[in-house]
Amino acid sequence: MLSSLRAAALGLVLVGSPALAGPQFVDGTGFAVSGYDVVAYRDLEQAPVGQSQPEGIPGRADITAEYNGAVFAFASEENRDRFLADPDFYAPAYDGHCAYGVAKGGKVPGNPNLWRIVDDRLYLNITENVVTFWEEDIPGNLTLSEGNWTGLEPDAASDRAIPQFNSEAPVDG
């Protein structure tokens, strides 16, 4: 009886807790999202589907915060503070991995300049060609991604380089 009560209590705790994040994608810069400021995306004007997004804003190596086992860089202290107030809101979906890659069942890196915010969530993709495939059916691809993510999340983070992207570490201000 006591063990079933403990199991029930543990189940309530687990249901009420946010899902634990898997390993964050970190490239050769040593920063999450290649050192780009994840808060700054919210201040950029998002292009319509089918058009290129504005490039992300690089962060500074001297303005950082840790989250999900990784260091995030920010363009300003204000952005860092906004992030710290609600990191789940600003951190990219799928621990910074490509949203279309997750829809297809794998973890590949996300390019910080190939982004889109959908339903208040930041999604990254790996190449411009992949963006085209992802944008053909964003809702359908997100349904696939969400279904695949629970099985992929515990897997190791991608160790691949981002194709066609020159990732340089953020500079000190």
Side-chain angles (χ1 to χ4, degrees), residues 20-139:
L20 297 175
Q24 182 72 42
F25 171 71
V26 175
D27 67 5
T29 65
F31 291 93
V33 193
S34 301
Y36 280 64
D37 184 335
V38 294
V39 174
Y41 291 105
R42 304 294 176 147
D43 298 327
L44 296 173
E45 187 170 338
Q46 186 162 227
V49 169
Q51 295 181 19
S52 296
Q53 295 283 52
E55 289 194 0
I57 307 297
R60 292 177 30 181
D62 61 337
I63 305 176
T64 63
E66 288 189 33
Y67 173 73
N68 188 24
V71 177
F72 287 76
F74 302 92
S76 68
E77 291 180 6
E78 177 186 355
N79 281 5
R80 180 195 55 210
D81 294 346
R82 287 169 61 191
F83 178 82
L84 289 171
D86 191 359
D88 288 332
F89 178 73
Y90 293 106
Y94 314 125
D95 301 326
H97 291 92
C98 172
Y100 189 72
V102 173
K104 293 299 178 186
K107 282 186 173 181
V108 296
N111 182 326
N113 288 320
L114 301 175
W115 61 276
R116 180 159 299 283
I117 296 172
V118 178
D119 295 331
D120 259 347
R121 209 56 221 272
L122 173 63
Y123 296 94
L124 304 175
N125 278 292
I126 188 169
T127 65
E128 290 179 10
N129 286 342
V130 165
V131 170
T132 302
F133 296 131
W134 190 68
E135 288 184 344
E136 286 177 357
D137 183 10
I138 293 173

Side-chain angles (χ1 to χ4, degrees), residues 142-161:
L142 287 177
T143 297
L144 291 171
S145 296
E146 289 300 310
N148 289 339
W149 186 240
T150 55
L152 293 173
E153 188 176 22
D155 294 349
S158 176
D159 60 359
R160 293 179 49 189

